[in-house]
Amino acid sequence: MKRIMAANRVFLLSVFGTDILLIILMLMNVGDIYVLQFLTEVFMVLPALLYVGCIRKKSIPGYVGMKKLRFKTILVLCLEAFCVTQISTFVNILSQLVFPNNISGSVGEMIAGKPFLIILLIVAIEPALCEEYVFRGVLYQGYRKNGIWTAAIVSAACFSLMHMDFNQMSYAFVIGIVFALTNEAVGTISASMVIHFLFNAVSVVEMYAVKFIGKYMRTIFMNAREEGKTNIISNITDQLGLTEQELESEQWFEIFISKTGENVSMKQLLPKAAFWCVLGIVGCFWCIYYLAKDAGRLEYLKSALFRRKKITEENLTTFATENDVVNRFEEKKAQQKVGFSFLTPALVITACICLLISILNFTENAKTAAVCTGVSFVFCVIYTLVWLLIYLPKIQRNEWD
């Protein structure tokens, strides 16, 4: 129980840390998107590092099970990253029928004036390390006593909420579950770090490829303007969907990215995306199966996922070997029922904060925002009181460690 409460407090501090950072930077008139992105990830992972290193006094990489990966494993993870991309694309398109996609414009703005390697560091490498350490590391290990499915779903929900954007929440939740199951199959958090990096890196590469092609076409357009070739000018403006004035602007790429999202019909993309999503799901199942079998963890994974056994205290901080876990599943302590004890006030309050910020970002109606804020506050107060009445006596009696 203490481990669950600690994990939820880490989540709460991560959210508060990033929010306070953004407020401070806004007051200081720091509007550099690169600085904001870099510091946001740092402040998010800082509570987790302090908890592991200073409070638990454990090895920072060892606590979450970071290990080296074999080359063959990395190749399979590359295939799984492709499959995860197909699944997330379908969920993303589906969610855009209701919620707007704000991330494409942000990435387009970021890559407008920075070298490829810097953007790759900020958008792909840093989030893969920091976010995986927090959500598939500290939080997942905290919930793991409740069972792998519970840990995977709750940590994925926290990962989803942390994005504070309804569109991103949809596919972040799905890939969060896939990441957790992959880690269990391989036996190390390094697996999800690799997939997360590849998942984000693909977006960066795609954006730079689009920018390169668009820049080439813009050069042809500018030359055609000087030579008075109206037919070439007309073809390029039609293909890019931009006016001549927009192509001449220094912000042509940002305008192009924003217009691309407006001109695409999500309903037309759904059938093709659904087909690739089905293939992606099949591919993910095969990759997880192959990785578990190759690592000698297939029987352990089947037992953990389908026999409804709990994981013992000795296996909470590391990904144990197959034989160790299978033998310990039979221990009485592994049968201990903790129910919904992971829904501590810290977790519920943090979830309400994330949902509230998401609503505020989605709606511009001040009345709706005020009502949501009031309802969230009242709910958090009532839930905290009820939770304390139910679980605090058990904690004081040390029924749960």
Side-chain angles (χ1 to χ4, degrees):
M1 184 62 188
K2 292 179 181 179
R3 191 184 298 275
I4 295 172
M5 295 175 67
N8 290 340
R9 285 194 291 266
V10 167
F11 182 41
L12 176 63
L13 291 174
S14 295
V15 171
F16 265 108
T18 53
D19 289 344
I20 292 172
L21 170 68
L22 292 174
I23 293 171
I24 292 174
L25 292 177
M26 288 174 62
L27 294 174
M28 295 174 61
N29 294 321
V30 178
D32 192 319
I33 192 170
Y34 310 101
V35 175
L36 291 174
Q37 177 66 24
F38 179 81
L39 291 180
T40 296
E41 295 291 340
V42 171
F43 272 71
M44 182 194 66
V45 76
L46 191 58
L49 297 177
L50 292 175
Y51 167 70
V52 174
C54 300
I55 298 177
R56 298 285 298 179
K57 299 187 184 302
K58 301 287 186 179
S59 166
I60 288 178
Y63 182 82
V64 296
M66 291 180 67
K67 302 174 185 176
K68 292 182 179 180
L69 296 172
R70 294 180 298 168
F71 180 72
K72 181 171 65 172
T73 302
I74 294 175
L75 290 179
V76 178
L77 292 174
C78 290
L79 174 60
E80 186 175 351
F82 173 79
C83 297
V84 168
T85 302
Q86 307 312 312
I87 298 172
S88 67
T89 299
F90 173 72
V91 178
N92 183 22
I93 293 173
L94 201 61
S95 69
Q96 286 186 61
L97 297 175
V98 181
F99 306 111
N101 184 348
N102 300 317
I103 189 64
S104 295
S106 300
V107 175
E109 182 183 349
M110 288 186 70
I111 73 169
K114 288 292 181 180
F116 172 77
L117 292 179
I118 292 179
I119 301 303
L120 193 68
L121 171 65
I122 296 174
V123 177
I125 298 176
E126 189 188 22
L129 295 175
C130 296
E131 294 176 10
E132 290 307 307
Y133 192 90
V134 173
F135 296 102
R136 253 66 61 186
V138 175
L139 266 65
Y140 182 79
Q141 295 295 345
Y143 305 137
R144 202 169 174 224
K145 190 175 183 180
N146 290 45
I148 288 177
W149 276 119
T150 300
I153 292 172
V154 177
S155 62
C158 293
F159 177 59
S160 170
L161 289 167
M162 188 70 181
H163 289 80
M164 301 182 194
D165 178 89
F166 287 122
N167 173 250
Q168 283 185 277
M169 282 181 183
S170 59
Y171 58 84
F173 176 73
V174 175
I175 65 176
I177 295 176
V178 177
F179 287 173
L181 297 180
T182 303
N183 287 343
E184 289 289 353
V186 180
T188 170
I189 195 177
S190 303
S192 63
M193 288 180 173
V194 170
I195 303 176
H196 197 152
F197 163 74
L198 293 171
F199 180 81
N200 288 359
V202 167
S203 300
V204 177
V205 172
E206 286 179 348
M207 283 290 185
Y208 269 94
V210 170
K211 182 182 178 183
F212 176 80
I213 296 171
K215 191 174 181 180
Y216 175 74
M217 294 181 70
R218 183 173 181 263
T219 301
I220 297 175
F221 165 80
M222 298 300 286
N223 293 334
R225 281 291 298 270
E226 294 178 0
E227 299 172 4
K229 297 179 179 179
T230 56
N231 58 331
I232 296 178
I233 294 173
S234 177
N235 288 335
I236 292 178
T237 53
D238 290 342
Q239 290 180 30
L240 295 179
L242 300 176
T243 64
E244 295 183 25
Q245 291 76 16
E246 289 170 339
L247 268 173
E248 291 174 350
S249 171
E250 293 296 328
Q251 287 77 37
W252 68 272
F253 185 67
E254 292 92 321
I255 298 171
F256 170 73
I257 293 298
S258 62
K259 278 200 166 185
T260 301
E262 295 173 359
N263 296 332
V264 174
S265 173
M266 294 299 110
K267 291 183 179 180
Q268 293 177 356
L269 297 176
L270 268 179
K272 184 178 179 180
F275 171 76
W276 282 103
C277 177
V278 172
L279 294 182
I281 293 172
V282 174
C284 281
F285 272 111
W286 181 85
C287 289
I288 292 173
Y289 174 84
Y290 178 84
L291 290 169
K293 186 176 181 180
D294 185 61
R297 297 171 57 83
L298 185 58
E299 290 304 316
Y300 152 67
L301 194 61
K302 288 180 180 179
S303 300
L305 293 178
F306 304 119
R307 296 180 187 175
R308 298 183 181 179
K309 302 289 185 177
K310 305 295 181 184
I311 294 179
T312 62
E313 180 71 20
E314 300 174 20
N315 300 316
L316 288 175
T317 58
T318 58
F319 294 94
T321 62
E322 176 181 332
N323 291 332
D324 288 341
V325 176
V326 171
N327 292 335
R328 290 166 185 165
F329 272 151
E330 303 303 324
E331 296 180 9
K332 289 184 179 180
K333 192 174 181 180
Q335 302 296 329
Q336 186 181 40
K337 295 183 179 180
V338 291
F340 290 92
S341 60
F342 59 85
L343 293 174
T344 66
L347 178 61
V348 173
I349 291 171
T350 310
C352 287
I353 291 172
C354 294
L355 288 172
L356 181 60
I357 294 175
S358 302
I359 293 171
L360 295 178
N361 291 332
F362 177 68
T363 180
E364 297 180 355
N365 190 312
K367 185 177 180 180
T368 302
V371 170
C372 292
T373 302
V375 171
S376 299
F377 177 78
V378 172
F379 174 77
C380 289
V381 171
I382 294 175
Y383 184 86
T384 300
L385 294 175
V386 172
W387 192 92
L388 290 174
L389 287 173
I390 295 175
Y391 290 111
L392 189 59
K394 296 183 179 181
I395 297 172
Q396 291 175 339
R397 293 195 300 268
N398 290 322
E399 290 185 12
W400 289 326
D401 187 11

